[in-house]
Structures are given as C-alpha cells and as structure tokens.
Amino acid sequence: MATDNKLRHVTSMLELPSPADQNSALHAVILGEALASEENDLVFPSDEFARQAHVSSPQQYLEMYKRSVEDPAGFWSDIASQFYWKKKWDQPACSENFDFRKGNISIQWFKGGLTNICYNCLDRNIESGNADKIAIYWEGNDPGFEDSLTYSQLLDRVCQLSNYLKDVGVKKGDAVVIYLPMLMELPIAMLACARIGAVHSVVFAGFSSESLAQRIVDCKPKVVITCNAVKRGAKAIHLKDIVDAALAESAKNGISVDVCLTYENQTALKREGTKWQEGRDVWWQDFVPKYPTTCEVEWVDAEDPLFLLYTSGSTGKPKGVLHTTGGYMVYSATTFKYAFDYKPSDVYWCTADCGWITGHSYVTYGPMLNGASVVVFEGTPTYPDAGRCWDIVDKFKVSIFYTAPTLVRSLMRESDEHVTRYSRKSLRVLGSVGEPINPSAWRWFFNVVGDSRCPISDTWWQTETGGFMITPLPGAWPQKPGSATFPFFGVQPVIVDEKGVEIEGECNGYLCLKSSWPGAFRTLYGDHERYETTYFKPFAGYYFTGDGCRRDKNGYHWLTGRVDDVINVSGHRIGTAEVESALVSHPKCAEAAVVGVEHEVKGQGIYAFVTLAEGEPYSEELRKSLILTVRKQIGAFAAPDKIHWAPGLPKTRSGKIMRRILRKIASKQLDELGDTSTLAEPQVVEQLIELADC
C-alpha cells in the first residue's frame, strides 16, 4: 500500500479470524471463557458486550478513525460542540507545525473559543439533571471512614474555595501549587483553580521538600494548598512539615509564598500537633466554608493554560508540562468515554493519585466531564490486607476499575483468596496504565479479578499526550494479552528506524506520532527550546515519544519500554519490558525489573532484579531456571547476565519502579543513589545492596 495511506496500519484488524475459525494459528476465546493457557492469543468481546458498546465493531471504528485522520478539524469540532462554549472558536479548529525545520513548533486547537472546564464538569451536569447524582465516593485510609458528594454539593465546595482564592489575590493566569493526598479536597482544589482561570500545579504528596521547592521556585505560586498530615497504611506522614521546609528553601531562592492554606486531616493529626507560621498559614476549615457557594466563572480561551505538571527529565531538572484548556477538555472526556465504554450507570475507580497525569485526566476531568460517579481512595491498596481493593469494589459497586500493572503484579503475589472472597460482580471493564502489562499479569487480571468476563483497556499514553493514544475499545475488536492494540481517534502512530524512516508492516523501532491531537501539551513551562529539542528534534517532522514499539503482523502495537530502557547487547536491541515479561511468566517469579549495565565484551549486559512468589526460597537452581525461561522465550542473546534477588523493588507510592536507583545499584555507584524520599519503602534499597553478591 502507498505510504501516505493513513489507514494502512489499522485495516489489518479486518483480517483477524473469527472466534469460530478453527484453522487459524491464533487461539481465540470470547469474554466469559477463561484463558486456559499462554496460547490464547485473542480475546473477543461477547456479542452481548459488543451490542451495547459505543463502538461495536472494527468496521465502525475504521469509519470513525478514517474521518478523524482525514478531517481532524471536522471530527473534533463535532465532538467539541457537545460541550459548553461561551464563544465558538475561530476557523480552522486546528493549526500546527510539527517540523522544527519550518519554524517554531506550535499546536493550537479551538483557538479563540471561550470556555471553562470546571463549568463543563459541574454546572453543565447539574443543568442536565445530575445535581443529585454522586460525583465522588470517598474511601479513607482506614476502613469505615467514608464520605460522598453529589454534583450539586461538589459545586458548592468548589465555589467556596474559588471565592477564597480570589479573596487572597489569586487571578486568572496565577499559579497555585497543590500538595495534598487523595482527599476530596484535592479534586475540589483543581476544579476551584480552573473555575477562576488560575493554573494549578499538583505535586504528588510523596515528593520530598527539595522536589517541592524546585517546583515552587519554577512556577512561583500565589498560594500553596496542603494538609497537616496523611496516614498511609498504619504510618502517619506530616505533610505540613515537608511544605514548611520547601517554603523555607524557596525563600532562600528568592521565591516567597504569602499563603499556605492547610486542611486539617483529623484522622492523621489534630491541629494542636501541627507546626504553624502565623500570618502565612491558614486553616481551610476556619475560612473556606464561610464563603458563598456561588462563584462567577472566568471564561478562558481554549489555548489559555489549565495546569502545569512536572515530570522527571534526564537532566535532573523537572520538566513543567503545560496543558491548555479547550483541546485537553475535549480529548480527556472523549478518551474516557470510548476507552472504558462509559455508561451513565457506571461507578468508576482509578487507583492513581491526582499528583500524576492519570489523576488529572482519569480521576478528575475526563470522568466528571462525562458526569461519572468517581471513587477517590486515600489509602494504600494492600492495607489492612490485600483484599482492600475488592472490598471497595463491592462496597461502591464499582463497574470500571483502572489501575497499574505494578499493583496487579503485587496482588498476584498474594493468595487468590484475597480476590475470590469478594463478589466483584459489579465489574464490567478493567484498565491498565503506567507501563506495559506483561501477558501473565494480564491473564491473571482477566481470569481472577474479572472472572474472564471483563475486557481490559490496556492504555498507552504519557503525561505529555494528555490522554490515551493507543488503547483497546472494549467492544470493537479482539484483545491480545499485553498489547495496547490500535490508535485512538485522530492519533497517527508510526514506527521509525534510527534514521527516522517509517517502517512498514511487522517491525520493531522508535514510536513517533504524526500530526497533533487536541490533548497534546503545548510547551515545557519557561523552556520552549527544551520542548523542541526533547520531543521534535530527534526525528524531524514527528513527535518522538521516547518509547520503543513493536507492531505485529496483525497491526497490534506492543510497547517495549522507554528507549533509554532498551539494552544494546552485542548489537541486539533488547527492550527491558520484554525480558521482564519473560521472567514474570516463570511460575515462581512475582515481579522483575531489568536494567542495562556496562559489559566489557558485549557493550551492555542484562541485569535483572527478581522478586519471588511468597514463600519461595532463593536457590542456584531457580536462578538457572529463570535464565533458561528468558532464553526459551526471547533467545540466548537476551539471557540475563545477573539475577539479583529482590525482596521488594524501590517504588514511588504510586507504584512506579525507580529504575534510576536500580541502575546505580547494578553499577555499584552507591554514592549516586540520590533522593530516595519519595519511595514507598526506602528500606528496600538497603536490602538490595546487602543482597548484591548473593
């Protein structure tokens, strides 16, 4: 086919066998049938599921996808028109330059249109009859602590905070830093900023004072919003002390903040035990509830900034990813609706923290733009035991459950009884986010958690993309365990070689994106040059994702990990995710993390940290068996040079594995471990160092 055919990599879905095709090399099951073995390659939606789905067949998807890439302005304008705009956007709906050789990189969607995302999340839903629908079900860290807010009550709370912020001098375009755990006050604070045109920057409440100070110095907020403390499991963490230290550090760098609004989280710490700076610190409960429950909306241009979210960069300085209002609103709402096949009767729970992009797009904005009922959970998924998630699912009758592969794998380590003692009958769709999910974890999630009846939306996207880029649509086409499958509407993924030449058909290479989509970030705050250099200069004319990707003969996309997580062993490029997936397929391996280390002969060697299933002892025989598993699944060239036994892996509290720390341990650069304060279990690092020579 001609290379300018925008549909060439998606039409292959029409050539897939049907579930009844006995002659196919692909083994198929239908939703409702257990995946009996590693050989079940295709999981088809049942007729019943497909019939009620928003997109119910490959043909319907292809028809919509074709329009989205051939007439993106028209496609997205039709969807945008379903939201409230104070003033319609200029024509055309989109303008872009993706090629730095033609001038500055620039992306604009719905420029000139005036809207407000808070109005569309709350007022619009209330006006359409959802005033008394539950917007947030809140579950506290300790079982038995719970609360809820209807859309009407949520709007009241948001308006009170908006009015307070205006009263202390916050104006359109001003930054507000939010350093809160998963209390209802976190989405309230985000929406309150958006209502008055302020730019929120949520910082995950697990970052150290140094990391928080860096972000405060960079965005110069008018106000910092925090709480005095939070309980994570049985442990209390004094967040206000961290904020105090960050504000002191910021002041040394010339940035002082006049207001620190502090919520009293009584279950973790009473106000009497909270350190206080008079004149700067303000108790939320003493002031905010006194303000009126109505607040005028600040109408903003579609291209006005909505939020800043800092993501780690290779240089060590965090990158301030800037998302604007209109395109992000339309894209987060649309991806949520289709990727989870959302219906108004659904109760939705995403386990991510709002300190990450997933919590912005798929805890707060995407769901509420659709009028969804959202579960917000303050605690940790294994406290007080490994059945906590399913207890919450049964309590609130959760029908859509979206989580990270890391959590899936950690729950796999525990007895299935922690899952099966709960009903989970309300579950309808499962989702995976954050990293590629290995096929064995996918199968466990499907078989055990979803009782083989729930499709899994295995989503690939980034902080920078704002929303899903490659994802299954649950009723539209069969899934392959571990594959993100096909692109979302308007997304044109291409795989290129080292020279930036597009590769056709079945292949492996660098994942790039052609042309813009509404949810794309517009710049790195204060550093547009770094934005262009990092994302648009590696391959001219494309957005470079930084990820490796394999496309199989059926056109399915398999993410192979970050390109900097690709190991070059004797000329073979090996994705760390591939090796990890092979290791975790071993029945005695619960989790694995692979990094590259210098090798005097091969250039790079493969160094694997392996966590065994509960109760399994370390042994030389098991080490050999694990290596043999990788040799069999990938090839001798991918066999790990070192298996490092790991009682646990260094992870952030959101479950992300800190591979930077693992690389330093593997390379014996122990004096360069850096900040470990954001780890859920800092002691794991010491344990790994002690086991280095075992």
Side-chain angles (χ1 to χ4, degrees), residues 448-471:
V448 179
V449 174
D451 286 331
S452 310
R453 54 184 180 75
C454 302
I456 299 174
S457 287
D458 175 8
T459 61
W460 174 79
W461 60 299
Q462 302 175 316
T463 302
E464 293 88 344
T465 69
F468 306 145
M469 303 302 282
I470 303 177
T471 177

Short mmCIF file of all heavy atoms in Angstrom, two decimals, residues 448-471:
data_model
loop_
_atom_site.label_atom_id
_atom_site.label_comp_id
_atom_site.label_asym_id
_atom_site.label_seq_id
_atom_site.Cartn_x
_atom_site.Cartn_y
_atom_site.Cartn_z
N VAL A 448 -8.80 -13.88 37.12
CA VAL A 448 -9.10 -13.90 38.55
C VAL A 448 -9.92 -12.67 38.96
O VAL A 448 -10.98 -12.81 39.56
CB VAL A 448 -7.80 -14.00 39.38
CG1 VAL A 448 -8.12 -13.99 40.88
CG2 VAL A 448 -7.03 -15.27 39.01
N VAL A 449 -9.43 -11.48 38.63
CA VAL A 449 -10.14 -10.27 39.05
C VAL A 449 -11.43 -10.10 38.25
O VAL A 449 -12.50 -9.82 38.81
CB VAL A 449 -9.25 -9.02 38.89
CG1 VAL A 449 -10.04 -7.75 39.19
CG2 VAL A 449 -8.04 -9.12 39.82
N GLY A 450 -11.36 -10.27 36.95
CA GLY A 450 -12.53 -10.03 36.10
C GLY A 450 -13.36 -11.26 35.81
O GLY A 450 -14.30 -11.18 35.01
N ASP A 451 -13.03 -12.39 36.43
CA ASP A 451 -13.78 -13.64 36.20
C ASP A 451 -13.95 -13.95 34.71
O ASP A 451 -14.99 -14.46 34.28
CB ASP A 451 -15.18 -13.55 36.85
CG ASP A 451 -15.11 -13.69 38.36
OD1 ASP A 451 -14.18 -14.36 38.85
OD2 ASP A 451 -15.97 -13.11 39.05
N SER A 452 -12.96 -13.57 33.90
CA SER A 452 -12.93 -13.85 32.46
C SER A 452 -14.07 -13.20 31.68
O SER A 452 -14.33 -13.58 30.55
CB SER A 452 -12.96 -15.37 32.20
OG SER A 452 -12.00 -16.03 32.97
N ARG A 453 -14.73 -12.20 32.30
CA ARG A 453 -15.87 -11.59 31.60
C ARG A 453 -15.68 -10.10 31.36
O ARG A 453 -16.54 -9.46 30.76
CB ARG A 453 -17.17 -11.84 32.36
CG ARG A 453 -17.12 -11.43 33.77
CD ARG A 453 -18.34 -11.72 34.63
NE ARG A 453 -18.08 -11.22 35.97
CZ ARG A 453 -18.10 -9.94 36.29
NH1 ARG A 453 -18.40 -9.03 35.39
NH2 ARG A 453 -17.81 -9.56 37.52
N CYS A 454 -14.54 -9.53 31.82
CA CYS A 454 -14.33 -8.09 31.68
C CYS A 454 -13.18 -7.81 30.71
O CYS A 454 -12.06 -8.27 30.93
CB CYS A 454 -13.96 -7.46 33.03
SG CYS A 454 -15.19 -7.72 34.31
N PRO A 455 -13.43 -7.06 29.63
CA PRO A 455 -12.32 -6.67 28.76
C PRO A 455 -11.36 -5.76 29.53
O PRO A 455 -11.75 -5.11 30.51
CB PRO A 455 -13.00 -5.91 27.63
CG PRO A 455 -14.31 -5.46 28.19
CD PRO A 455 -14.71 -6.47 29.22
N ILE A 456 -10.10 -5.73 29.09
CA ILE A 456 -9.08 -4.90 29.73
C ILE A 456 -8.64 -3.82 28.76
O ILE A 456 -8.11 -4.11 27.69
CB ILE A 456 -7.86 -5.75 30.17
CG1 ILE A 456 -8.29 -6.83 31.17
CG2 ILE A 456 -6.78 -4.85 30.77
CD1 ILE A 456 -7.17 -7.79 31.55
N SER A 457 -8.84 -2.56 29.15
CA SER A 457 -8.34 -1.45 28.35
C SER A 457 -6.90 -1.19 28.77
O SER A 457 -6.65 -0.50 29.76
CB SER A 457 -9.22 -0.21 28.53
OG SER A 457 -10.44 -0.39 27.86
N ASP A 458 -5.98 -1.77 28.01
CA ASP A 458 -4.54 -1.64 28.30
C ASP A 458 -4.06 -0.40 27.56
O ASP A 458 -3.75 -0.44 26.38
CB ASP A 458 -3.84 -2.92 27.82
CG ASP A 458 -2.33 -2.85 27.97
OD1 ASP A 458 -1.83 -1.89 28.58
OD2 ASP A 458 -1.65 -3.76 27.46
N THR A 459 -4.01 0.72 28.27
CA THR A 459 -3.83 2.03 27.64
C THR A 459 -2.36 2.43 27.56
O THR A 459 -1.62 2.28 28.53
CB THR A 459 -4.59 3.11 28.42
OG1 THR A 459 -4.07 3.16 29.76
CG2 THR A 459 -6.08 2.78 28.48
N TRP A 460 -1.95 2.98 26.41
CA TRP A 460 -0.63 3.61 26.32
C TRP A 460 -0.82 5.10 26.06
O TRP A 460 -1.54 5.50 25.15
CB TRP A 460 0.23 3.02 25.19
CG TRP A 460 1.49 3.82 25.08
CD1 TRP A 460 2.60 3.74 25.87
CD2 TRP A 460 1.74 4.92 24.18
NE1 TRP A 460 3.53 4.70 25.53
CE2 TRP A 460 3.03 5.44 24.50
CE3 TRP A 460 1.02 5.53 23.16
CZ2 TRP A 460 3.60 6.52 23.82
CZ3 TRP A 460 1.57 6.61 22.49
CH2 TRP A 460 2.86 7.08 22.81
N TRP A 461 -0.16 5.90 26.90
CA TRP A 461 -0.18 7.36 26.75
C TRP A 461 0.88 7.93 27.67
O TRP A 461 1.63 7.19 28.30
CB TRP A 461 -1.57 7.92 27.04
CG TRP A 461 -2.10 7.66 28.42
CD1 TRP A 461 -2.33 6.45 29.00
CD2 TRP A 461 -2.46 8.64 29.39
NE1 TRP A 461 -2.83 6.61 30.27
CE2 TRP A 461 -2.91 7.95 30.54
CE3 TRP A 461 -2.47 10.03 29.40
CZ2 TRP A 461 -3.36 8.60 31.69
CZ3 TRP A 461 -2.92 10.68 30.56
CH2 TRP A 461 -3.36 9.96 31.68
N GLN A 462 0.98 9.24 27.76
CA GLN A 462 2.04 9.90 28.52
C GLN A 462 1.51 11.17 29.19
O GLN A 462 0.47 11.70 28.78
CB GLN A 462 3.20 10.29 27.59
CG GLN A 462 3.81 9.13 26.84
CD GLN A 462 4.87 9.60 25.83
OE1 GLN A 462 4.67 10.58 25.12
NE2 GLN A 462 5.98 8.91 25.78
N THR A 463 2.26 11.68 30.16
CA THR A 463 1.95 12.99 30.74
C THR A 463 1.79 14.01 29.62
O THR A 463 0.88 14.85 29.63
CB THR A 463 3.09 13.43 31.69
OG1 THR A 463 3.27 12.45 32.70
CG2 THR A 463 2.79 14.78 32.33
N GLU A 464 2.68 13.92 28.65
CA GLU A 464 2.71 14.91 27.57
C GLU A 464 1.51 14.81 26.64
O GLU A 464 1.10 15.80 26.03
CB GLU A 464 3.99 14.75 26.75
CG GLU A 464 5.27 15.08 27.50
CD GLU A 464 5.87 13.91 28.27
OE1 GLU A 464 5.15 12.90 28.49
OE2 GLU A 464 7.04 13.98 28.67
N THR A 465 0.93 13.62 26.48
CA THR A 465 -0.15 13.45 25.49
C THR A 465 -1.51 13.86 26.04
O THR A 465 -2.45 14.07 25.28
CB THR A 465 -0.24 12.00 24.97
OG1 THR A 465 -0.70 11.14 26.02
CG2 THR A 465 1.10 11.52 24.43
N GLY A 466 -1.63 13.94 27.37
CA GLY A 466 -2.88 14.39 27.98
C GLY A 466 -3.96 13.32 28.08
O GLY A 466 -4.85 13.41 28.91
N GLY A 467 -3.91 12.33 27.22
CA GLY A 467 -4.93 11.28 27.21
C GLY A 467 -4.45 10.09 26.40
O GLY A 467 -3.35 10.09 25.84
N PHE A 468 -5.29 9.06 26.33
CA PHE A 468 -4.92 7.80 25.69
C PHE A 468 -4.54 8.00 24.22
O PHE A 468 -5.20 8.75 23.50
CB PHE A 468 -6.08 6.80 25.74
CG PHE A 468 -6.62 6.56 27.12
CD1 PHE A 468 -7.98 6.32 27.32
CD2 PHE A 468 -5.79 6.55 28.23
CE1 PHE A 468 -8.50 6.09 28.59
CE2 PHE A 468 -6.29 6.32 29.51
CZ PHE A 468 -7.65 6.09 29.68
N MET A 469 -3.50 7.30 23.79
CA MET A 469 -3.06 7.38 22.40
C MET A 469 -3.28 6.05 21.67
O MET A 469 -3.75 6.01 20.55
CB MET A 469 -1.57 7.75 22.33
CG MET A 469 -1.25 9.06 23.04
SD MET A 469 -2.17 10.45 22.39
CE MET A 469 -1.27 10.78 20.91
N ILE A 470 -2.88 4.96 22.31
CA ILE A 470 -3.11 3.63 21.75
C ILE A 470 -3.84 2.85 22.83
O ILE A 470 -3.36 2.74 23.97
CB ILE A 470 -1.79 2.93 21.37
CG1 ILE A 470 -0.99 3.80 20.39
CG2 ILE A 470 -2.06 1.56 20.76
CD1 ILE A 470 0.37 3.22 20.01
N THR A 471 -5.02 2.33 22.50
CA THR A 471 -5.84 1.68 23.53
C THR A 471 -6.90 0.80 22.89
O THR A 471 -7.41 1.12 21.81
CB THR A 471 -6.55 2.73 24.41
OG1 THR A 471 -7.40 2.08 25.36
CG2 THR A 471 -7.38 3.71 23.59
#
